Amino acid sequence: MIIAAGGGRRIGGPEALLHQGAKPLVNRMIDTMTQAGCERIVVVLGAAADQVRETADLTGATVVVNRAWGTGVGSSIRAGLAAIDDELVEAVVVVPVDMPGLTPAAVRRVAALPYPDVLVCATYDGLRGYPMLFGRRHWAGIATLASADVGARPYLLAHKDQIVDIACDTVADGSRVDTPELMALYGLTVPPQRVGV
């Protein structure tokens, strides 16, 4: 599941509209997840969803539009989980679109135990981050507790003894692009056709 719904207030517009070179960042993330072996991709859009559909190639992905994106990432996680109707899916890898340094290797590490009772978090310098792996048995609880801009954190804190931490420092960069400086560092640009949110 790729969360690409935020308005990107700190960077001047929706993260899902950012480009790295000629390619939309959301397509780079789809490629990363596909190369990691994810069989199904759910993309949760929100801010500027129509523009994202026009600029990105979302063929083959299940696209969900979170109309409540302004309330924070919690509502996007809920929308994404609700869209996974295949009962054979036992776990979901969750990543935000604004992680250009994420690699298939990091996703594979976190997704190595795709069981219904797992909770896995990538760590960078000992701090938890994305990707995260949520087993199906946790989805209802995550959806219930997911809130505002802290997403699944309340649920994870309540179940911290069950979380498996997987170090990903050596295979990926866990930075989220939330400043103009990081945009410049990763060579991210904003397409000129973007107007408003």
Side-chain angles (χ1 to χ4, degrees), residues 114-174:
Y115 303 117
D117 55 349
V118 301
L119 286 173
V120 182
C121 290
T123 64
Y124 304 90
D125 296 324
L127 299 175
R128 286 182 178 143
Y130 291 96
M132 296 179 181
L133 180 70
F134 301 150
R136 180 179 279 277
R137 289 181 190 155
H138 297 283
W139 294 359
I142 289 169
T144 299
L145 293 181
S147 63
D149 282 331
V150 295
R153 194 177 307 157
Y155 187 86
L156 295 175
L157 285 173
H159 297 81
K160 60 181 182 284
D161 295 337
Q162 297 177 43
I163 298 173
V164 176
D165 290 323
I166 303 291
C168 291
D169 319 68
T170 59
V171 296
D173 179 347

Side-chain angles (χ1 to χ4, degrees), residues 9 16 29 69 76 88 95-96 117 131 162 190 193:
R9 288 185 305 271
M29 190 61 74
W69 65 267
S76 293
L88 296 178
V95 297
D117 55 349
Q162 297 177 43
V190 177
Q193 71 269 25

